[in-house]
Amino acid sequence: MTASYDFLDTSPVIPVIAIEAIEHAVPLAEALVAGGIVNLEVTLRTQHGLDAIRLINEQVPGANVGVGTVCSAAEFDAAVEAGASFVVSPGQSDELFERALLTDVPFLAGAVTATEVMAAKSRGFNILKFFPAGTSGGAAAIKAFAGPFADIQFVPTGGIKPENAQEYLSLSNVRAVGGSWLTPGDLIKGGRWDEIEAIARQASSLNA
Ligand code: 3PG
């Protein structure tokens, strides 16, 4: 496995994006990038996920578009084919680990228990999504993992907001955080891209 995770150092926050209408994909990505947020996790939660990845990849040069909510090897392949440069899963499975090991695409598997961290680590994955962070012990749980798992870093998501993002980012074993707070549905529906850019600018000023 030769995947590089250096992209995680370019922005402290990864927006978790669900595209409800395909025409939102490009202006949303442009607003986030203009605000300094370049790593974009477009989820497969809506039917537009793959098309959105394709369009952003083609039309928003500053964006580093990845895919989220990947639960199978078939989804992994389809997203990479569409142009996803990183892959995020809420959990982990043998088929996902096996697929990721066959590629150079960085893969963030989900883990919130010591057993799950050990399973991922045994497959060679040392940077993990911690989801759902808020209901899985939050920053205190991640901090506790620094003892037994000094070589593991986390990207927590789920329940992270501007008010608590810095608490997570201050931990030595947190590489970045993710969340949907940068992409409120009402702002997207209203085409209020300037306001999304402002949220992104605030998020990009957090310290990882
Ligand atoms: C995810 O998949 O990371 C979460 O759905 C994001 O959680 P949030 O909506 O609480 O930010």
Side-chain angles (χ1 to χ4, degrees):
M1 186 173 53
T2 56
S4 168
Y5 292 77
D6 291 351
F7 74 95
L8 290 170
D9 301 326
T10 56
S11 303
V13 179
I14 302 175
V16 177
I17 300 168
I19 296 291
E20 302 289 349
I22 193 62
E23 61 270 24
H24 295 154
V26 166
L28 175 62
E30 286 173 341
L32 292 165
V33 170
I37 295 292
V38 298
N39 299 318
L40 312 180
E41 179 186 328
V42 176
T43 64
L44 300 184
R45 289 172 206 188
T46 71
Q47 57 171 322
H48 303 299
L50 292 176
D51 286 337
I53 290 166
R54 216 171 274 120
L55 282 177
I56 294 168
N57 201 36
E58 284 166 8
Q59 296 183 28
V60 189
N64 177 38
V65 61
V67 62
T69 321
V70 170
C71 298
S72 70
E75 289 176 347
F76 190 117
D77 288 345
V80 170
E81 174 72 28
S85 66
F86 62 93
V87 175
V88 185
S89 178
Q92 54 181 263
S93 67
D94 286 341
E95 72 168 85
L96 283 173
F97 285 138
E98 277 152 28
R99 180 55 92 262
L101 288 167
L102 290 174
T103 74
D104 288 338
V105 179
F107 173 54
L108 298 171
V112 289
T113 67
T115 302
E116 290 163 357
V117 171
M118 287 163 62
K121 187 178 158 167
S122 73
R123 306 300 293 261
F125 294 86
N126 293 342
I127 303 179
L128 305 170
K129 174 167 167 141
F130 184 87
F131 171 80
T135 54
S136 303
I142 297 173
K143 188 174 182 186
F145 277 158
F149 304 121
D151 52 344
I152 302 290
Q153 293 185 312
F154 294 94
V155 179
T157 75
I160 299 181
K161 305 267 177 251
E163 306 80 69
N164 63 1
Q166 193 61 62
E167 182 189 1
Y168 285 94
L169 286 166
S170 301
L171 296 175
S172 60
N173 58 348
V174 166
R175 186 80 173 258
V177 300
S180 62
W181 89 84
L182 295 90
T183 54
D186 55 336
L187 297 192
I188 295 176
K189 271 196 205 101
R192 291 154 64 186
W193 310 122
D194 288 354
E195 288 170 67
I196 291 179
E197 181 181 330
I199 296 171
R201 186 161 296 114
Q202 194 185 34
S204 66
S205 71
L206 292 164
N207 296 312

